[in-house]
Amino acid sequence: MRYLIALLLLSSLSTTVSAQALTGDDIKKTLIGEWTRAKQYTDEYLSAMPADKYSFKAVDSIRSFAQQMVHLASANYFLMSLAEGKQPPAFLAGAEDRPSALASDSVKTLVDASYDYAIGLLQASDPSTYGAMVVLQTRKVSKFTLFLKAFEHQTHHRGQTTIYIRLLGIRPPAERLF
């Protein structure tokens, strides 16, 4: 009986959900917030991996931890530059294979700078242009889609490094959805 009364009381409570349209500025603010969170999360991964283990590979045929992170950073620059019609920095060419770029301090600097670059481009962006079409290889996609693909890519490669950290017996950073 007590449960029935509680159920009746709960069902009598009304909740109101109201839909509100998102503005371009809302979307821009969300993108900036998500990239800022992703930078902090990736920094936790970079800190979790011991500096002397940045050259670790889960298997010989794949990138090392450092190469994964340099690839992530290079793609941040490339995809975000493409979305904004800019050329990515020339120093990125071949960075994954340059020993000087693969040292832990260099990797951390490059990765952080790539997130700062992405966040800076978003801060300077005009949401009214998010629907503009951009050519990516053989596809035409909107700038907004390219922003999303860039975000997806960095998430994918950060996620791949979880196994590297676990194989070394280290607990990876906890998930950060918000």
Side-chain angles (χ1 to χ4, degrees):
M1 184 66 165
R2 198 177 327 158
Y3 295 114
L4 183 57
I5 293 170
L7 183 61
L8 288 171
L9 286 173
L10 285 174
S11 66
S12 69
L13 297 175
S14 65
T15 58
T16 304
V17 177
S18 62
Q20 183 175 342
L22 287 172
T23 67
D25 286 335
D26 293 332
I27 294 168
K28 176 179 173 175
K29 182 179 176 183
T30 298
L31 287 169
I32 292 167
E34 289 302 304
W35 276 92
T36 301
R37 178 188 55 79
K39 177 185 176 187
Q40 293 166 350
Y41 193 28
T42 304
D43 281 343
E44 289 178 22
Y45 269 76
L46 293 167
S47 295
M49 180 62 88
D52 65 337
K53 300 293 185 194
Y54 269 54
S55 62
F56 177 73
K57 292 182 174 188
V59 295
D60 287 339
S61 60
I62 64 172
R63 294 178 174 111
S64 68
F65 177 86
Q67 288 171 318
Q68 283 282 9
M69 289 297 186
V70 169
H71 175 77
L72 175 155
S74 296
N76 285 352
Y77 277 110
F78 175 75
L79 293 169
M80 295 301 283
S81 292
L82 183 61
E84 287 298 322
K86 300 179 182 297
Q87 287 292 325
F91 67 81
L92 296 170
E96 281 182 53
D97 298 318
R98 251 192 332 268
S100 62
L102 301 177
S104 64
D105 289 346
S106 297
V107 171
K108 288 177 184 180
T109 298
L110 180 61
V111 169
D112 279 347
S114 77
Y115 280 101
D116 291 342
Y117 181 78
I119 293 164
L121 283 181
L122 288 167
Q123 287 170 333
S125 71
D126 176 358
S128 71
T129 67
Y130 287 1
M133 300 307 284
V134 177
V135 176
L136 173 61
Q137 296 166 346
T138 60
R139 299 185 195 298
K140 283 180 91 170
V141 298
S142 69
K143 281 175 56 169
F144 180 69
T145 298
L146 206 46
F147 290 155
L148 295 178
K149 292 301 176 187
F151 192 82
E152 178 183 351
H153 184 269
Q154 61 82 37
T155 300
H156 169 76
H157 285 282
R158 182 185 54 238
Q160 284 185 327
T161 65
T162 300
I163 195 69
Y164 294 63
I165 293 169
R166 285 196 182 277
L167 285 171
L168 292 172
I170 302 166
R171 185 182 186 111
E175 186 175 17
R176 262 186 185 240
L177 284 177
F178 299 95

